[in-house]
Amino acid sequence: TGKQCPHVSISGADFIRFVSFRTIYHNITGETPFCQDTIPWSVALSDGSVLRSLIVDLCLLALFITQHSLLAWSPVKQALQSVLGPLNRTAYCFTTALALQVLIRLWQPVTNAPCLWSVRDPPWSVWFPLLCFILHFLCWAIICSILMIFDYPELLGIKQVYYDCLSLGDPLLHKPSGARRLLSHYRHPVCVELAVVLWLLPSLSLDRLLLAGTLSAYLAAAHSLDKHDLAYVCGQMSSRMQIFAEPHGSGAAEHEDGNYKEK
């Protein structure tokens, strides 16, 4: 299981480079533009190379979405659980990383079509990519922080194997019922930040529109939060704020007293 973590980390770094910083760095350095604004839309949409690139990209997105959804489908998940046992979640993360690598390495940029938008007039041609870089960096920092808070070892499947070795059962069963319900509806709590990363760019090409639109629609359709989940999150936030608002000495004394009573 330990061998799976580098693959997931490498795919994460490649995905960040592919989604965010490759496009922004390209705009800052002033390299060959992704788009050709001099080409009319009527000519671009009838160009065979443009259509082929879009079809390839759409197939790659369909491959990723199929893998991500099929292995999470309850009948398939139960069948794999009976075969793989505690390695089921690790296998899911590994195949996700593999699907991402295929998407990233085979992705076809559309360069023979105009951009939907492009910031090229000075001084915004320099300042706006820099602003995008800062906001993207903050979004990825928030995403990494949220993943850590949401039990990163359990998301990767490491905790399942560790608990199985200790005969502790499924780690999800040790979480409160509200948390299990929230995770079943909201397994990837990074929708807003990922939407910013997907759409906030100095220039938006056709292939980027396909990527951002498809992943945004998939994220929106994959979650089913309700008022019970909202009530649980608000309750957890309220309890955390009360802990931070308590005087340090008082909180420590109560914590020690609680430990003494528990013993």
Side-chain angles (χ1 to χ4, degrees):
T1 306
K3 294 181 180 179
Q4 310 302 332
C5 299
H7 293 290
V8 176
S9 301
I10 291 172
S11 290
D14 288 343
F15 185 68
I16 292 173
R17 189 184 305 113
F18 170 71
V19 170
S20 283
F21 300 123
R22 181 179 66 91
T23 305
I24 295 174
Y25 178 78
H26 191 96
N27 279 270
I28 291 177
T29 55
E31 296 181 13
T32 304
F34 285 120
C35 312
Q36 299 292 333
D37 292 334
T38 57
I39 300 177
W41 278 106
S42 57
V43 175
L45 294 178
S46 60
D47 188 344
S49 63
V50 172
L51 297 178
R52 280 193 299 271
S53 297
L54 290 176
I55 291 173
V56 170
D57 295 342
L58 186 61
C59 291
L60 293 172
L61 286 168
L63 172 66
F64 172 74
I65 291 174
T66 301
Q67 175 276 327
H68 217 57
S69 301
L70 183 63
L71 296 188
W73 187 35
S74 183
V76 176
K77 189 175 181 180
Q78 292 174 2
L80 291 176
Q81 184 70 31
S82 63
V83 175
L84 299 175
L87 291 174
N88 183 29
R89 181 68 189 178
T90 306
Y92 180 79
C93 292
F94 179 79
T95 53
T96 299
L98 184 61
L100 275 178
Q101 285 292 336
V102 172
L103 184 146
I104 292 169
R105 297 183 184 281
L106 299 182
W107 187 262
Q108 300 293 315
V110 176
T111 57
N112 293 328
C115 285
L116 279 80
W117 71 67
S118 181
V119 180
R120 295 182 182 173
D121 296 329
W124 290 107
S125 58
V126 175
W127 288 109
F128 190 69
L130 183 60
L131 176 64
C132 291
F133 174 84
I134 295 172
L135 291 176
H136 279 224
F137 180 84
L138 291 175
C139 285
W140 286 117
I142 293 172
I143 288 173
C144 293
S145 301
I146 291 175
L147 290 178
M148 293 300 177
I149 294 171
F150 266 67
D151 199 353
Y152 189 65
E154 189 273 329
L155 287 174
L156 287 183
I158 300 172
K159 205 171 192 178
Q160 285 83 336
V161 177
Y162 175 71
Y163 272 46
D164 184 72
C165 292
L166 298 179
S167 301
L168 296 175
D170 190 348
L172 280 177
L173 298 179
H174 294 267
K175 297 181 183 294
S177 59
R180 295 199 303 269
R181 191 177 191 280
L182 174 66
L183 288 175
S184 67
H185 293 166
Y186 198 55
R187 196 59 166 162
H188 303 292
V190 293
C191 293
V192 175
E193 294 81 5
L194 191 56
V196 172
V197 167
L198 287 172
W199 291 100
L200 184 64
L201 290 170
S203 59
L204 187 73
S205 59
L206 266 181
D207 63 291
R208 182 54 181 236
L209 175 66
L210 180 64
L211 177 71
T214 304
L215 292 183
S216 299
Y218 180 63
L219 282 172
H223 299 300
S224 56
L225 295 176
D226 54 26
K227 61 181 182 180
H228 299 290
D229 298 318
L230 178 62
Y232 174 77
V233 172
C234 291
Q236 291 295 308
M237 288 292 296
S238 177
S239 63
R240 297 297 186 276
M241 294 302 294
Q242 289 178 2
I243 293 174
F244 288 126
E246 290 177 354
H248 180 70
S250 174
E254 291 179 2
H255 181 69
E256 291 177 359
D257 184 58
N259 288 340
Y260 176 76
K261 290 179 180 179
E262 183 179 355
K263 291 178 181 177

